[in-house]
Amino acid sequence: LKPVAPQEVFGQECDIFAPCALGGILNGESIPRLRCAVVCGAANNQLLTEEDGDALQRRGILYGPDYIVNAGGVINLSFEIGRSYDREAAFRRVARIEETMAEVIALAKGQGISTARAADRLAEARLHGARQAYPSQKG
């Protein structure tokens, strides 16, 4: 490993490029410079635009959407608030992130769309299902 200047980081050959700080760094300027097979990092909002996910797909770069790969902290927190913490249950739920990502990849391949768009569709479908299961009591 060797350190490189920030402006050189996108052009480094690697297996996994992991954005873990600033959002919006995957864009029309940076994506063409990437020399990796996978983008998977902890930064929020890594794609500057929705089309940047499509650009990664066209380049054959697998993208792990941040709100899926980052979900562990929020999932764990949901097991800490308002109840007695169940470490094993929290870890079982966090372990399902891998299943969700596999579902996103399969959906993307099956529909010929980017993993960014597939993740959004899966999230929208899950939200719709939750709304149907728990309709508002108003009215």
Side-chain angles (χ1 to χ4, degrees):
L1 296 175
K2 67 174 183 148
V4 297
Q7 63 273 20
E8 296 175 21
V9 73
F10 295 102
Q12 299 302 305
E13 189 170 338
C14 59
D15 294 323
I16 301 170
F17 182 79
C20 293
L22 301 174
I25 66 162
L26 298 172
N27 54 56
E29 205 174 292
S30 62
I31 292 170
R33 296 173 52 204
L34 292 175
R35 297 174 56 203
C36 61
V38 175
V39 171
C40 184
N44 292 327
N45 305 313
Q46 297 164 18
L47 302 175
L48 185 60
T49 69
E50 191 173 18
E51 290 75 25
D52 293 321
D54 301 333
L56 288 168
Q57 181 204 21
R58 283 191 302 273
R59 296 240 8 247
I61 298 172
L62 178 62
Y63 173 64
D66 55 272
Y67 62 89
I68 294 176
V69 301
N70 257 351
V74 172
I75 291 169
N76 189 66
L77 185 62
S78 75
F79 281 86
E80 294 176 352
I81 297 176
R83 59 174 135 173
S84 179
Y85 183 62
D86 183 342
R87 182 179 189 272
E88 289 76 26
F91 275 55
R92 280 193 306 273
R93 182 70 57 86
V94 167
R96 291 175 45 199
I97 292 171
E98 180 181 1
E99 294 171 24
T100 301
M101 195 60 221
E103 189 175 350
V104 166
I105 293 168
L107 180 62
K109 286 182 180 180
Q111 295 187 2
I113 59 175
S114 71
T115 53
R117 290 187 191 274
D120 288 349
R121 287 184 186 176
L122 180 61
E124 289 165 6
R126 288 183 177 182
L127 287 171
H128 178 73
R131 286 185 199 106
Q132 297 302 313
Y134 302 99
S136 173
Q137 300 299 315
K138 294 179 185 177

